[in-house]
Amino acid sequence: MGKFYICILNLTSSMQLFVYRLVYPILWFISKLPWRLFYAFSTGVFLLTYYVFRYRRKTVTHNLELVFPNKTSQEIKKIRREFYQHMCDMFLEMIKSISISNEEMKERFKVTNLEKLHELEAKGENIMILMAHYASYEWANVIDIQTNFQAVGVYKKIGNKYFDRLVHRIRARFGSRVIGTKEAMKVITEDQSKEGLYMYGLISDQSPKLYKATFWTNFMDIKVPVFLGAEVLSKRLGLNTYYLQVEKIKRGYYEATFVTLTEDSKNCEDYSIIKSYLRLLENQIYNKPQYYLWSHKRWKHHNASIPEGATVD
């Protein structure tokens, strides 16, 4: 039985390697396409995704109707269609990161107040950055090559270990370091006793599992549980905390602004950081909803029973 189990594991690993070797050359080729052809290809992917495969159409439609109950069917369809086009662009832009140059990245993802980070560098303090599934979050890696901070991104590991290594390699091109969600608390805490400057980036708008749903508040006027990891770490370690507000200017171009959430995290009220973050994100979504990631199940617990002992805002 033991030998059979080992054979299954080896087969799984072999299949992962086979898939990676099959797909990676295609990804590399896509990443090298000139921009005009690149976005023409993205449009083709959009047409297949939206009209043929209908990827998560029910989830996207449900989320939009839930969040925008007063919008007409035509308005919902328009947002949905524009979202899918943006989603395909963003996914392929992640692939573009395989070969894009540093200079191109800085041209296409500009930080409007980079001087803020340089001021923080002079203070010699580590910082926490809350991010969201809005506009572009992958290209935010370009910030790392413009500061003395060591950028550390927290992410959920990919099942295929070879593609997981690819993610590490892509982000390492711009100097970033990535750590898994399960080890984030331990690693970030240990970093505080090390030399150097650290900037931690956490995407904080996911939906936690119900047994971890200890705080519920309104997001887009719907009561949902929220992740508290970034706030807990900020308060425990005394980290200045900011929101990376990313706006899409046009196809392939973004601008990011560091918005202060708190520069006195140890003394701020519980839940104030995450609530301020959600209000800023809400404003962006209401303004240009097509750039939010409607395909993920952010509101899946909105009808769930709130666990006993949870705090409800």
Side-chain angles (χ1 to χ4, degrees), residues 4 6 8 13 45-46 54 68 80 92 103 108 119 122 134-135 150 185 204 209 211-212 237 250 256 266 284 295 313:
F4 174 76
I6 291 171
I8 292 296
S13 179
V45 173
F46 155 69
R54 300 170 67 88
F68 300 112
R80 185 179 67 189
L92 288 168
E103 291 307 312
R108 290 177 172 272
E119 291 173 9
Y134 188 88
Q150 168 62 68
M185 190 77 73
S204 300
K209 295 180 179 178
Y211 73 90
K212 294 182 178 180
L237 303 174
K250 61 181 180 178
K266 284 194 172 182
Q284 288 187 275
S295 56
D313 182 40

Side-chain angles (χ1 to χ4, degrees), residues 216-231:
W216 295 62
T217 190
N218 286 340
F219 178 46
M220 304 298 289
D221 288 328
I222 301 166
K223 194 74 71 179
V224 291
V226 296
F227 269 113
L228 293 174
E231 174 167 322

Side-chain angles (χ1 to χ4, degrees), residues 234-236 238 262-270 272-273:
S234 294
K235 289 173 66 64
R236 181 183 298 175
T262 180
E263 293 185 338
D264 187 19
S265 56
K266 284 194 172 182
N267 294 314
C268 67
E269 293 183 6
D270 287 346
S272 63
I273 294 175

Side-chain angles (χ1 to χ4, degrees), residues 150-196:
Q150 168 62 68
V152 181
V154 178
Y155 83 116
K156 186 175 182 180
K157 291 185 176 181
I158 300 170
N160 185 310
K161 63 182 180 181
Y162 300 101
F163 283 106
D164 191 68
R165 290 173 189 169
L166 177 62
V167 170
H168 281 249
R169 193 163 74 246
I170 290 172
R171 290 171 179 170
R173 287 188 61 232
F174 305 103
S176 298
R177 186 176 115 216
V178 292
I179 54 177
T181 52
K182 293 182 179 179
E183 58 190 358
M185 190 77 73
K186 177 177 179 291
V187 172
I188 293 174
T189 301
E190 289 175 347
D191 280 348
Q192 306 317 300
S193 60
K194 299 177 182 178
E195 292 186 3

Side-chain angles (χ1 to χ4, degrees), residues 82-94:
E82 290 176 348
F83 155 69
Y84 273 94
Q85 178 68 81
H86 167 69
M87 181 187 71
C88 292
D89 282 355
M90 186 181 62
F91 172 73
L92 288 168
E93 285 165 359
M94 288 190 282

Side-chain angles (χ1 to χ4, degrees), residues 66-304:
L66 186 67
V67 169
F68 300 112
N70 296 322
K71 288 191 180 295
T72 66
S73 175
Q74 287 304 114
E75 288 174 319
I76 293 293
K77 288 179 181 178
K78 182 176 184 294
I79 295 171
R80 185 179 67 189
R81 191 178 190 281
E82 290 176 348
F83 155 69
Y84 273 94
Q85 178 68 81
H86 167 69
M87 181 187 71
C88 292
D89 282 355
M90 186 181 62
F91 172 73
L92 288 168
E93 285 165 359
M94 288 190 282
I95 295 173
K96 193 71 171 175
S97 298
I98 293 173
S99 62
I100 192 172
S101 70
N102 289 1
E103 291 307 312
E104 274 189 307
M105 280 286 282
K106 287 190 286 186
E107 178 66 25
R108 290 177 172 272
F109 192 100
K110 293 184 177 180
V111 182
T112 64
N113 59 341
L114 197 60
E115 68 279 358
K116 178 66 177 178
L117 283 185
H118 295 320
E119 291 173 9
L120 294 168
E121 285 176 352
K123 293 180 181 179
E125 298 176 352
N126 297 334
I127 60 175
M128 177 68 70
I129 309 297
L130 273 68
M131 301 171 64
H133 289 97
Y134 188 88
S136 175
Y137 40 92
E138 284 292 335
W139 276 5
N141 290 327
V142 72
I143 296 168
D144 198 37
I145 60 178
Q146 300 178 76
T147 74
N148 291 322
F149 283 99
Q150 168 62 68
V152 181
V154 178
Y155 83 116
K156 186 175 182 180
K157 291 185 176 181
I158 300 170
N160 185 310
K161 63 182 180 181
Y162 300 101
F163 283 106
D164 191 68
R165 290 173 189 169
L166 177 62
V167 170
H168 281 249
R169 193 163 74 246
I170 290 172
R171 290 171 179 170
R173 287 188 61 232
F174 305 103
S176 298
R177 186 176 115 216
V178 292
I179 54 177
T181 52
K182 293 182 179 179
E183 58 190 358
M185 190 77 73
K186 177 177 179 291
V187 172
I188 293 174
T189 301
E190 289 175 347
D191 280 348
Q192 306 317 300
S193 60
K194 299 177 182 178
E195 292 186 3
L197 291 171
Y198 295 89
M199 173 173 58
Y200 304 102
L202 279 77
I203 293 181
S204 300
D205 60 338
Q206 302 102 320
S207 182
K209 295 180 179 178
L210 272 178
Y211 73 90
K212 294 182 178 180
T214 58
F215 178 62
W216 295 62
T217 190
N218 286 340
F219 178 46
M220 304 298 289
D221 288 328
I222 301 166
K223 194 74 71 179
V224 291
V226 296
F227 269 113
L228 293 174
E231 174 167 322
V232 169
L233 279 167
S234 294
K235 289 173 66 64
R236 181 183 298 175
L237 303 174
L239 302 176
N240 290 351
T241 308
Y242 307 89
Y243 172 49
L244 187 67
Q245 184 170 285
V246 183
E247 299 286 358
K248 187 168 186 174
I249 306 306
K250 61 181 180 178
R251 202 174 197 184
Y253 289 87
Y254 304 87
E255 285 185 357
T257 303
F258 285 90
V259 180
T260 302
L261 295 174
T262 180
E263 293 185 338
D264 187 19
S265 56
K266 284 194 172 182
N267 294 314
C268 67
E269 293 183 6
D270 287 346
Y271 313 122
S272 63
I273 294 175
I274 196 67
K275 287 165 66 176
S276 295
Y277 156 79
L278 290 175
R279 299 297 82 79
L280 289 165
L281 175 56
E282 282 177 339
N283 288 337
Q284 288 187 275
I285 296 173
Y286 282 127
N287 187 37
K288 294 182 179 179
Q290 65 269 34
Y291 299 141
Y292 191 58
L293 191 64
W294 297 103
S295 56
H296 75 318
K297 299 178 180 180
R298 180 62 191 89
W299 293 273
K300 64 183 178 181
H301 296 316
H302 76 282
N303 282 328

